[in-house]
Amino acid sequence: MSTLHIVLSLGCALVLVQLIVLMVRDRLPGRITYALLALLELGLVVQLVVGLAMVFDDHRGVSVPTYVGYLVGALVILPLAAGWSWAERTRSGTGVLLVGVVLLPVLFLRLHDIWSTHV
Amino acid sequence: MSEPSTTRRSTGAGFGRILVFVYGVFALSATGRSSVQLLTKASEAPVPYALSAFAAVVYIVATWALATDRRSVALVAVGIELVGVVTVGAASIVWSEHFADATVWSDFGNGYGYVPLVLPVVGLWWILRGSR
């Protein structure tokens, strides 16, 4: 995986641990969690820009719509999760954020697979 | 179906909130996948692509029904989803020559960590729990 994806995955892992601690202690996410999520989202914007540049430069037979689909998918996951969890400020709401940060590394792996099978 | 009592919580609340989000993710990914398949290479593998589109519709209906506490609609959608994943899963192994490209439900959702197989079971449990 690219350095960016490794950094982003570590960020997801960090937020994941924090969310688990919050859920176990039955606390709601605070400023630090949302700041970390915002940072992650910023990283995903960078991923989108880098990914688009890669796929429109020399995509070597990679399916452009599929690749772009995963890039955009990764971009919208956290805002959707945050919005949906905000409507229910409970442990389950925090669980929605947890699903979001677990999902992101899966998408990174998919992006990596799509790219590397065509090299 | 009887009117939901005022004390009964919506299927979209509590654990249902997490469930609806997971359904939403599958609705998005199945829609994305089938759109790409149908728009770019519809003739290559018509059977799996039609099934992908069908799965996308089922996931969209299930997400909407669970989120808005429409239990009977949710029950039908999730029931179809369970039958779909088992049937398509079995068919994709038995008649693999007709499944040149994957759908969400191929090989019992193998490409998605078998989540498509587990999800309808959890969904049915969640909808039926406490409704008798």
Side-chain angles (χ1 to χ4, degrees):
Chain A
M1 287 208 286
S2 69
T3 316
L4 178 63
H5 279 159
I6 291 167
V7 172
L8 286 173
S9 299
L10 289 174
C12 288
L14 180 70
V15 179
L16 176 67
V17 170
Q18 209 193 10
L19 290 172
I20 291 171
V21 171
L22 287 170
M23 286 176 78
V24 168
R25 298 176 62 199
D26 204 7
R27 301 277 169 83
L28 291 173
R31 262 185 220 164
I32 297 172
T33 309
Y34 284 108
L36 284 172
L37 286 171
L39 258 177
L40 265 181
E41 187 63 18
L42 198 69
L44 292 168
V45 175
V46 174
Q47 180 203 224
L48 178 76
V49 174
V50 173
L52 286 178
M54 272 164 66
V55 88
F56 284 112
D57 179 39
D58 177 19
H59 59 73
R60 304 169 292 191
V62 171
S63 164
V64 176
T66 307
Y67 199 79
V68 174
Y70 275 103
L71 287 174
V72 175
L75 193 72
V76 298
I77 284 293
L78 288 182
L80 285 179
W84 187 241
S85 80
W86 191 259
E88 186 177 316
R89 305 276 286 149
T90 62
R91 198 180 268 178
S92 295
T94 311
V96 172
L97 293 176
L98 187 140
V99 173
V101 293
V102 168
L103 205 67
L104 281 174
V106 177
L107 294 182
F108 300 156
L109 272 178
R110 267 290 157 90
L111 281 165
H112 172 75
D113 285 346
I114 296 168
W115 192 261
S116 55
T117 48
H118 288 275
V119 175
Chain B
M1 290 289 276
S2 59
E3 284 296 303
S5 66
T6 46
T7 50
R8 200 164 74 181
R9 296 180 75 199
S10 159
T11 51
F15 171 72
R17 188 152 288 273
I18 300 174
L19 193 63
V20 168
F21 185 68
V22 176
Y23 264 99
V25 167
F26 270 90
L28 260 181
S29 69
T31 307
R33 168 169 227 160
S34 64
S35 309
V36 169
Q37 288 176 335
L38 289 173
L39 292 175
T40 61
K41 41 183 185 178
S43 58
E44 274 177 38
V47 175
Y49 294 169
L51 285 171
S52 282
F54 176 69
V57 174
V58 172
Y59 281 120
I60 291 168
V61 173
T63 307
W64 163 78
L66 283 169
T68 55
D69 199 28
R70 287 175 167 85
R71 280 168 195 262
S72 36
V73 180
L75 202 58
V76 171
V78 175
I80 292 174
E81 182 198 349
L82 182 60
V83 173
V85 69
V86 170
T87 315
V88 174
S92 63
I93 290 168
V94 178
W95 297 290
S96 53
E97 70 272 17
H98 290 296
F99 288 83
D101 202 350
T103 79
V104 185
W105 291 339
S106 293
D107 304 329
F108 302 106
N110 176 34
Y112 292 82
Y114 294 103
V115 177
L117 186 61
V118 179
L119 199 55
V121 177
V122 177
L124 285 179
W125 162 75
W126 179 247
I127 299 163
L128 295 173
R129 182 199 51 106
S131 69
R132 272 162 296 156

